Amino acid sequence: MDQRTIVCLSCPKGCRVTVKANGDDIKDISGHECPQGIEYAKNEYLNPTRILPTTVRVKNGQIALVPVKTAAPIPKGKIGEAMQKLAEVEVEAPIKLGQVIVENIVETGVDVVATRSIKAKN
Ligand code: SF4
């Protein structure tokens, strides 16, 4: 049986929740102080996701890189592929805060958006 301890980030308490499982078959969850911890630990164990914050290159901008992030969490296993894809992207200034930089990054259904505005050079 696998056993993993996951810190629940659903509230500032940060309970250490222990998941015991045979592969994807969860047998026991303990250490949570409320039911939210069960859902959090289940999701984190079976399908961990993360918001991806990074930067992409800017053409003709007052600065050379724009900070971006995924608009929602994406599967942890797709983070590397998404980083590679974003390394190839160059976006033309001006850029507006919240502008979609890449739609549906690596087929996750999630867009990558700018987290600041950048003016054009001229
Ligand atoms: S299990 Fe409940 S109390 Fe504990 S960190 Fe998660 S949400 Fe907060």
Side-chain angles (χ1 to χ4, degrees), residues 63-83:
I63 56 174
L65 293 169
V66 59
V68 299
K69 67 171 187 167
T70 52
I74 64 171
K76 234 174 140 181
K78 290 223 167 193
I79 296 273
E81 196 186 338
M83 288 290 285

PDB file of all heavy atoms in Angstrom, residues 63-83:
ATOM      1  N   ILE A  63       9.606  46.574 -22.031  1.00  0.00           N
ATOM      2  CA  ILE A  63      10.441  45.561 -21.374  1.00  0.00           C
ATOM      3  C   ILE A  63      10.371  44.264 -22.192  1.00  0.00           C
ATOM      4  O   ILE A  63       9.447  44.077 -22.978  1.00  0.00           O
ATOM      5  CB  ILE A  63      10.074  45.313 -19.881  1.00  0.00           C
ATOM      6  CG1 ILE A  63       8.619  44.929 -19.717  1.00  0.00           C
ATOM      7  CG2 ILE A  63      10.421  46.500 -19.032  1.00  0.00           C
ATOM      8  CD1 ILE A  63       8.273  44.551 -18.289  1.00  0.00           C
ATOM      9  N   ALA A  64      11.367  43.404 -21.987  1.00  0.00           N
ATOM     10  CA  ALA A  64      11.584  42.271 -22.899  1.00  0.00           C
ATOM     11  C   ALA A  64      10.753  41.028 -22.564  1.00  0.00           C
ATOM     12  O   ALA A  64      10.618  40.136 -23.394  1.00  0.00           O
ATOM     13  CB  ALA A  64      13.064  41.897 -22.880  1.00  0.00           C
ATOM     14  N   LEU A  65      10.224  40.984 -21.344  1.00  0.00           N
ATOM     15  CA  LEU A  65       9.466  39.791 -20.930  1.00  0.00           C
ATOM     16  C   LEU A  65       8.170  40.232 -20.267  1.00  0.00           C
ATOM     17  O   LEU A  65       8.153  41.217 -19.525  1.00  0.00           O
ATOM     18  CB  LEU A  65      10.264  38.962 -19.916  1.00  0.00           C
ATOM     19  CG  LEU A  65      11.538  38.291 -20.413  1.00  0.00           C
ATOM     20  CD1 LEU A  65      12.338  37.739 -19.235  1.00  0.00           C
ATOM     21  CD2 LEU A  65      11.236  37.169 -21.401  1.00  0.00           C
ATOM     22  N   VAL A  66       7.106  39.478 -20.520  1.00  0.00           N
ATOM     23  CA  VAL A  66       5.848  39.763 -19.835  1.00  0.00           C
ATOM     24  C   VAL A  66       5.542  38.592 -18.895  1.00  0.00           C
ATOM     25  O   VAL A  66       5.638  37.428 -19.299  1.00  0.00           O
ATOM     26  CB  VAL A  66       4.688  39.987 -20.837  1.00  0.00           C
ATOM     27  CG1 VAL A  66       4.441  38.810 -21.750  1.00  0.00           C
ATOM     28  CG2 VAL A  66       3.390  40.331 -20.096  1.00  0.00           C
ATOM     29  N   PRO A  67       5.210  38.884 -17.632  1.00  0.00           N
ATOM     30  CA  PRO A  67       4.795  37.807 -16.735  1.00  0.00           C
ATOM     31  C   PRO A  67       3.418  37.283 -17.136  1.00  0.00           C
ATOM     32  O   PRO A  67       2.526  38.080 -17.473  1.00  0.00           O
ATOM     33  CB  PRO A  67       4.768  38.458 -15.345  1.00  0.00           C
ATOM     34  CG  PRO A  67       4.723  39.912 -15.582  1.00  0.00           C
ATOM     35  CD  PRO A  67       5.238  40.197 -16.962  1.00  0.00           C
ATOM     36  N   VAL A  68       3.281  35.985 -17.111  1.00  0.00           N
ATOM     37  CA  VAL A  68       2.019  35.338 -17.486  1.00  0.00           C
ATOM     38  C   VAL A  68       1.699  34.238 -16.474  1.00  0.00           C
ATOM     39  O   VAL A  68       2.569  33.834 -15.699  1.00  0.00           O
ATOM     40  CB  VAL A  68       2.100  34.709 -18.907  1.00  0.00           C
ATOM     41  CG1 VAL A  68       2.384  35.769 -19.959  1.00  0.00           C
ATOM     42  CG2 VAL A  68       3.129  33.592 -18.972  1.00  0.00           C
ATOM     43  N   LYS A  69       0.455  33.762 -16.509  1.00  0.00           N
ATOM     44  CA  LYS A  69       0.093  32.595 -15.697  1.00  0.00           C
ATOM     45  C   LYS A  69      -1.072  31.886 -16.358  1.00  0.00           C
ATOM     46  O   LYS A  69      -1.792  32.489 -17.173  1.00  0.00           O
ATOM     47  CB  LYS A  69      -0.250  32.987 -14.261  1.00  0.00           C
ATOM     48  CG  LYS A  69      -1.505  33.799 -14.167  1.00  0.00           C
ATOM     49  CD  LYS A  69      -1.943  33.976 -12.734  1.00  0.00           C
ATOM     50  CE  LYS A  69      -3.302  34.649 -12.712  1.00  0.00           C
ATOM     51  NZ  LYS A  69      -3.979  34.635 -11.486  1.00  0.00           N
ATOM     52  N   THR A  70      -1.256  30.631 -16.010  1.00  0.00           N
ATOM     53  CA  THR A  70      -2.436  29.938 -16.504  1.00  0.00           C
ATOM     54  C   THR A  70      -3.649  30.509 -15.766  1.00  0.00           C
ATOM     55  O   THR A  70      -3.568  30.808 -14.580  1.00  0.00           O
ATOM     56  CB  THR A  70      -2.330  28.418 -16.278  1.00  0.00           C
ATOM     57  OG1 THR A  70      -2.019  28.168 -14.905  1.00  0.00           O
ATOM     58  CG2 THR A  70      -1.269  27.792 -17.157  1.00  0.00           C
ATOM     59  N   ALA A  71      -4.765  30.637 -16.478  1.00  0.00           N
ATOM     60  CA  ALA A  71      -5.961  31.241 -15.884  1.00  0.00           C
ATOM     61  C   ALA A  71      -6.592  30.317 -14.844  1.00  0.00           C
ATOM     62  O   ALA A  71      -7.428  30.751 -14.060  1.00  0.00           O
ATOM     63  CB  ALA A  71      -6.959  31.581 -16.978  1.00  0.00           C
ATOM     64  N   ALA A  72      -6.187  29.049 -14.830  1.00  0.00           N
ATOM     65  CA  ALA A  72      -6.679  28.068 -13.855  1.00  0.00           C
ATOM     66  C   ALA A  72      -5.579  27.020 -13.686  1.00  0.00           C
ATOM     67  O   ALA A  72      -4.646  26.965 -14.503  1.00  0.00           O
ATOM     68  CB  ALA A  72      -7.968  27.417 -14.381  1.00  0.00           C
ATOM     69  N   PRO A  73      -5.672  26.193 -12.647  1.00  0.00           N
ATOM     70  CA  PRO A  73      -4.642  25.159 -12.484  1.00  0.00           C
ATOM     71  C   PRO A  73      -4.664  24.166 -13.647  1.00  0.00           C
ATOM     72  O   PRO A  73      -5.731  23.876 -14.195  1.00  0.00           O
ATOM     73  CB  PRO A  73      -5.040  24.463 -11.177  1.00  0.00           C
ATOM     74  CG  PRO A  73      -5.938  25.420 -10.472  1.00  0.00           C
ATOM     75  CD  PRO A  73      -6.657  26.177 -11.552  1.00  0.00           C
ATOM     76  N   ILE A  74      -3.490  23.666 -14.019  1.00  0.00           N
ATOM     77  CA  ILE A  74      -3.392  22.616 -15.048  1.00  0.00           C
ATOM     78  C   ILE A  74      -2.725  21.396 -14.418  1.00  0.00           C
ATOM     79  O   ILE A  74      -2.038  21.512 -13.393  1.00  0.00           O
ATOM     80  CB  ILE A  74      -2.614  23.087 -16.301  1.00  0.00           C
ATOM     81  CG1 ILE A  74      -1.147  23.418 -15.984  1.00  0.00           C
ATOM     82  CG2 ILE A  74      -3.294  24.274 -16.952  1.00  0.00           C
ATOM     83  CD1 ILE A  74      -0.292  23.674 -17.228  1.00  0.00           C
ATOM     84  N   PRO A  75      -2.899  20.205 -15.007  1.00  0.00           N
ATOM     85  CA  PRO A  75      -2.278  19.009 -14.425  1.00  0.00           C
ATOM     86  C   PRO A  75      -0.758  19.188 -14.264  1.00  0.00           C
ATOM     87  O   PRO A  75      -0.099  19.678 -15.181  1.00  0.00           O
ATOM     88  CB  PRO A  75      -2.601  17.917 -15.441  1.00  0.00           C
ATOM     89  CG  PRO A  75      -3.833  18.396 -16.124  1.00  0.00           C
ATOM     90  CD  PRO A  75      -3.709  19.893 -16.190  1.00  0.00           C
ATOM     91  N   LYS A  76      -0.260  18.778 -13.115  1.00  0.00           N
ATOM     92  CA  LYS A  76       1.166  18.908 -12.815  1.00  0.00           C
ATOM     93  C   LYS A  76       2.025  18.243 -13.893  1.00  0.00           C
ATOM     94  O   LYS A  76       3.085  18.736 -14.246  1.00  0.00           O
ATOM     95  CB  LYS A  76       1.442  18.232 -11.470  1.00  0.00           C
ATOM     96  CG  LYS A  76       2.133  19.105 -10.469  1.00  0.00           C
ATOM     97  CD  LYS A  76       2.201  18.360  -9.147  1.00  0.00           C
ATOM     98  CE  LYS A  76       3.512  18.569  -8.464  1.00  0.00           C
ATOM     99  NZ  LYS A  76       3.584  17.827  -7.192  1.00  0.00           N
ATOM    100  N   GLY A  77       1.534  17.121 -14.418  1.00  0.00           N
ATOM    101  CA  GLY A  77       2.268  16.374 -15.435  1.00  0.00           C
ATOM    102  C   GLY A  77       2.405  17.112 -16.763  1.00  0.00           C
ATOM    103  O   GLY A  77       3.187  16.708 -17.617  1.00  0.00           O
ATOM    104  N   LYS A  78       1.644  18.197 -16.942  1.00  0.00           N
ATOM    105  CA  LYS A  78       1.712  18.949 -18.201  1.00  0.00           C
ATOM    106  C   LYS A  78       2.523  20.237 -18.062  1.00  0.00           C
ATOM    107  O   LYS A  78       2.659  20.999 -19.016  1.00  0.00           O
ATOM    108  CB  LYS A  78       0.297  19.287 -18.679  1.00  0.00           C
ATOM    109  CG  LYS A  78      -0.493  18.096 -19.148  1.00  0.00           C
ATOM    110  CD  LYS A  78      -1.242  18.426 -20.416  1.00  0.00           C
ATOM    111  CE  LYS A  78      -1.772  17.173 -21.075  1.00  0.00           C
ATOM    112  NZ  LYS A  78      -2.228  17.417 -22.431  1.00  0.00           N
ATOM    113  N   ILE A  79       3.041  20.512 -16.870  1.00  0.00           N
ATOM    114  CA  ILE A  79       3.754  21.774 -16.625  1.00  0.00           C
ATOM    115  C   ILE A  79       4.994  21.884 -17.523  1.00  0.00           C
ATOM    116  O   ILE A  79       5.240  22.929 -18.133  1.00  0.00           O
ATOM    117  CB  ILE A  79       4.163  21.896 -15.132  1.00  0.00           C
ATOM    118  CG1 ILE A  79       2.922  21.966 -14.242  1.00  0.00           C
ATOM    119  CG2 ILE A  79       5.126  23.051 -14.896  1.00  0.00           C
ATOM    120  CD1 ILE A  79       2.321  23.305 -13.999  1.00  0.00           C
ATOM    121  N   GLY A  80       5.773  20.814 -17.640  1.00  0.00           N
ATOM    122  CA  GLY A  80       7.002  20.844 -18.434  1.00  0.00           C
ATOM    123  C   GLY A  80       6.706  21.132 -19.892  1.00  0.00           C
ATOM    124  O   GLY A  80       7.364  21.977 -20.521  1.00  0.00           O
ATOM    125  N   GLU A  81       5.702  20.454 -20.424  1.00  0.00           N
ATOM    126  CA  GLU A  81       5.307  20.638 -21.820  1.00  0.00           C
ATOM    127  C   GLU A  81       4.820  22.087 -22.044  1.00  0.00           C
ATOM    128  O   GLU A  81       5.140  22.714 -23.053  1.00  0.00           O
ATOM    129  CB  GLU A  81       4.178  19.650 -22.135  1.00  0.00           C
ATOM    130  CG  GLU A  81       3.905  19.425 -23.586  1.00  0.00           C
ATOM    131  CD  GLU A  81       2.668  18.550 -23.800  1.00  0.00           C
ATOM    132  OE1 GLU A  81       2.282  17.789 -22.878  1.00  0.00           O
ATOM    133  OE2 GLU A  81       2.085  18.640 -24.868  1.00  0.00           O
ATOM    134  N   ALA A  82       4.065  22.604 -21.094  1.00  0.00           N
ATOM    135  CA  ALA A  82       3.555  23.971 -21.204  1.00  0.00           C
ATOM    136  C   ALA A  82       4.711  24.975 -21.166  1.00  0.00           C
ATOM    137  O   ALA A  82       4.725  25.951 -21.927  1.00  0.00           O
ATOM    138  CB  ALA A  82       2.565  24.260 -20.072  1.00  0.00           C
ATOM    139  N   MET A  83       5.714  24.733 -20.323  1.00  0.00           N
ATOM    140  CA  MET A  83       6.889  25.615 -20.238  1.00  0.00           C
ATOM    141  C   MET A  83       7.628  25.635 -21.569  1.00  0.00           C
ATOM    142  O   MET A  83       8.057  26.691 -22.034  1.00  0.00           O
ATOM    143  CB  MET A  83       7.845  25.137 -19.140  1.00  0.00           C
ATOM    144  CG  MET A  83       7.364  25.374 -17.730  1.00  0.00           C
ATOM    145  SD  MET A  83       7.357  27.105 -17.265  1.00  0.00           S
ATOM    146  CE  MET A  83       9.111  27.392 -17.035  1.00  0.00           C
TER     147      MET A  83
END
